[in-house]
Amino acid sequence: PFIWTLFFCGTLKELIRKPRIWRTIAAVLMLVQLGMIIANFSSHFMFYVDETGNYQTTNARAILFYVQFFIYLLVAAVALFGILSTKLQTRHSSFRTFLWISLTPVFFDVFQLIYPDAPANSVGLCIACVLVQIFLTKTVETQVRELKAEAELQKSKQKEILSAGVISTLSNEYGPLYLADLQTGSLQVFRQSGMERALPVQQLALETPEYIDFIREYASRYVIENDREAFLAWTEPKHLDSIINTENISEFNYQRNMNGTLNYYQFCCGRVPGESSENLMVFGFRNVDDTVRRELEAKET
């Protein structure tokens, strides 16, 4: 019963709506079972071993049996509800498996009621646990296949980016390069760098899988207050989507404060060409302090 209730409780959040209510019911049922078994150690009101070493039960033992039986029926009801309420084929398959797993101990418990001396209840639970293991194994295998497919997709995207020549345009002066999806908002480090000055920003990107969160945190930490609002407006996805294209690189200069040192920096980005990557953007940061200061001095003179 404990194994079954834990399985019931742990699986619901992935399969049905309002899982908190069902998990609460499962937790209550588990506590009822646990309380009855603990109480039995002192009172022997359900089962005990007599002086001759034989296992004995009382009529109260049926209470625990029916609680367990109710859990099996509840899981079957949840699975049946899932089959009727979802149109997704993958979820249909999971619910059907879930239904058969839960009906197995129900069948053996009915057999137990007809033949009280047979160990049908234990056999049914053992078979059900084996089916649970098979179900979980198949689920894990499916997840592994999906992860491998996603990895292959990422490799093909990287090859497409490299072949497009965007990386060669963004030279080594930019250190690490980042890949952002302007539609989904996802972010990943495309090219890492060992340069010490790049490590804090690179680490921030590795810890932040969302482009917007990364840009906001970067601006808060490193962009000076006078340039921060303009930097956030320029790097906003909708704005970038409207200005970058497959033929050029777009740039934005700002002042960066790194550990109290002010330098002019440049945010540079370019769209990745190709139909399958039309929303992808590669961007990087580089130090343009010497260039900008020379330009400012030239203007002053």
Side-chain angles (χ1 to χ4, degrees):
F2 292 126
I3 296 173
W4 199 250
T5 310
L6 287 172
F7 172 69
F8 176 41
C9 187
T11 309
L12 287 175
K13 62 181 180 180
E14 301 296 337
L15 297 180
I16 65 170
R17 298 174 183 175
K18 298 181 179 179
R20 183 177 297 178
I21 296 175
W22 293 97
R23 289 204 303 270
T24 301
I25 294 174
V28 169
L29 290 173
M30 185 167 63
L31 290 174
V32 169
Q33 297 173 71
L34 181 61
M36 292 173 67
I37 293 174
I38 292 175
N40 184 81
F41 285 120
S42 58
S43 62
H44 297 167
F45 74 101
M46 289 191 302
F47 53 86
Y48 61 95
V49 178
D50 62 20
E51 295 178 354
T52 61
N54 294 318
Y55 176 74
Q56 303 291 342
T57 63
T58 68
N59 292 332
R61 172 66 178 83
I63 297 174
L64 187 62
F65 175 84
Y66 286 117
V67 170
Q68 180 180 337
F69 187 71
F70 178 73
I71 292 173
Y72 301 150
L73 289 178
L74 192 60
V75 175
V78 169
L80 184 60
F81 173 79
I83 293 173
L84 297 176
S85 62
T86 185
K87 296 181 180 179
L88 295 176
Q89 185 60 36
T90 53
R91 283 186 172 268
H92 257 289
S93 177
S94 295
F95 279 127
R96 285 197 301 269
T97 305
F98 208 24
L99 180 62
W100 284 112
I101 291 174
S102 56
L103 287 179
T104 299
V106 169
F107 170 77
F108 277 92
D109 278 357
V110 171
F111 191 85
Q112 179 80 67
L113 292 173
I114 299 174
Y115 301 99
D117 294 334
N121 178 44
S122 299
V123 172
L125 185 57
C126 288
I127 294 174
C129 287
V130 171
L131 293 177
V132 168
Q133 182 64 43
I134 294 173
F135 172 73
L136 294 178
T137 301
K138 287 185 177 180
T139 301
V140 171
E141 289 175 349
T142 301
Q143 291 174 345
V144 170
R145 285 196 298 269
E146 290 175 352
L147 288 173
K148 287 182 178 179
E150 178 66 21
E152 290 298 323
L153 179 61
Q154 291 297 332
K155 286 182 180 179
S156 65
K157 283 184 178 181
Q158 289 186 353
K159 289 180 180 179
E160 187 174 2
I161 294 169
L162 290 170
S163 63
V166 178
I167 300 301
S168 61
T169 306
L170 297 177
S171 65
N172 288 329
E173 295 178 15
Y174 288 89
L177 294 177
Y178 310 95
L179 182 66
D181 190 318
L182 296 177
Q183 184 175 29
T184 65
S186 63
L187 172 72
Q188 60 178 294
V189 178
F190 182 79
R191 184 182 71 189
Q192 297 195 39
S193 172
M195 294 186 298
E196 186 176 351
R197 65 176 183 274
L199 292 179
V201 178
Q202 182 175 282
Q203 186 61 35
L204 174 62
L206 290 171
E207 296 171 355
T208 311
E210 298 292 332
Y211 169 76
I212 288 294
D213 294 340
F214 167 76
I215 287 296
R216 289 175 179 172
E217 186 63 27
Y218 176 88
S220 175
R221 291 187 188 185
Y222 304 118
V223 180
I224 67 169
E225 188 174 353
N226 290 342
D227 292 344
R228 192 172 299 155
E229 185 176 348
F231 175 85
L232 289 172
W234 199 89
T235 55
E236 201 272 332
K238 288 184 179 179
H239 176 258
L240 291 174
D241 192 49
S242 66
I243 63 171
I244 61 177
N245 54 57
T246 59
E247 297 178 356
N248 64 4
I249 298 295
S250 299
E251 300 168 343
F252 178 81
N253 292 344
Y254 60 95
Q255 272 195 292
R256 190 170 93 167
N257 184 347
M258 178 72 77
N259 299 324
T261 302
L262 290 178
N263 284 292
Y264 284 98
Y265 259 75
Q266 186 178 84
F267 177 97
C268 185
C269 60
R271 189 190 298 279
V272 177
E275 293 183 2
S276 63
S277 56
E278 59 181 7
N279 297 310
L280 296 179
M281 175 189 74
V282 175
F283 68 94
F285 306 93
R286 71 166 175 171
N287 190 326
V288 293
D289 194 70
D290 291 340
T291 303
V292 172
R293 292 190 186 279
R294 282 197 299 268
E295 291 176 355
L296 292 175
E297 290 175 0
K299 289 180 180 180
E300 289 177 358
T301 56

